Amino acid sequence: MDPKNPNREHRSTPQYGLYQRENFWISNEGKTPPFNTDPNKLEELAKQKLTENGWYYASSNAGQSYTHTVNRQAFYRHRIIPRMLVDTNKRDTATTIFGHRVPAPIGFAPIGINKIYHPLGELPVAKVAGELGLPYCLSTAGSNSIEDVGKANGDGVRFFQLYMPHDDELTVSLLQRAHDSGFKACILTLDTWQLAWRHDDIATSNYAFYHGTGADLGLTDPVFQMRLKKLGIDPIGRPNEAGAAWIDNVWHGRAHTWEKVKWVIGIWKQISGGMPFCLKGIQCVEDAKTAVEIGCDGIVVSNHAGRQVDGAIASLDALEKIVDAVGDKTYIMFDSGIRSASDVFKALALGAKFVFVGRLWVWGLSIMGEHGVRHVMRGLLAELDILMNVAGYLDISQIDRRALESFEKNYQMLPEKSKL
Ligand code: GLV
């Protein structure tokens, strides 16, 4: 690619595709590209770098991984129709999310306990997100304090993902901290009152919080500190018990209902002065309609990347129906199974306004920390920029269902989950 392309000056978004050139050129300077961004190779490399526990937690899915498998297969039944001789010279990957103009429709999905992937946990991830201008979601199961993650993210656009405790005072405290630390939306996850039955994690007793790692977000909370005191648990002397008390409050196994969601919407609106509130984990049209009725500002169509309900429908298949039902009434986001720019493109074409990626950056973090997250995400942005160039799409608004040829659902059993 010619870096002197004059059209570059007139683009409103960075010339992401130049990252390809940078990597092609780098060997002239005696350097090599950081690592291969092919999703299967990334996964393999992350497996080599991680501890057994880190690897199992990152790669585990519910049950037999059927939902994970079908999430990936669903992308394959939609194919992009390339257009030729379109003037894409001034193409634009930018979009808006809740009033924030961002350079691409891609965000960092909320993933907890990053300290099992890298000693600095969420901090390098939030930093890179801020640097790239992409929205960052902090999980309630995060392994750094809300305040530190907010600082690491700087002027970035950040959202707080809530796992709602049963302790209302604790919920209020978490939301207040998130608002005070500059988080601009609350995303309540609905599909994880407790973790699913995940064979590898169970077989290896792999629950970091019970073993003294990952509870920092809770341990730094003033309300939770009062709770610990009452229980007589000193978090320094008894980290396993303190971590367990925290996570048993987050993934408590007790179901919430729509009534409780109405309550928490009110609390967040009050604390934040009306900032957006969204639900994550919606797969059913009826639930999407209810979310709209009770006043949610957006929904994330997600099945937790296949980590919660085994044998469920593909999140991408759910997306189509939900867009048809409420696409004009709420802001629809998507996650679960994105591995490349073409996956991003397909989700947008099916009606998502924005997508979140998770495992890709987890692998980057596991392989090379901050540098790894940056490489993976810059690679994905470059891939999207180049895809739009070669497939003939000028901006995000042009990507709609006409951009796809879609085939009937015909999902076969596939033997290897990671080779999709
Ligand atoms: C938590 O969100 C998990 O999927 O482990």
Side-chain angles (χ1 to χ4, degrees), residues 57 163 195 198 251 304 307:
Y57 199 75
Y163 287 120
L195 297 188
R198 302 175 185 169
W251 293 327
H304 216 105
R307 290 166 72 83

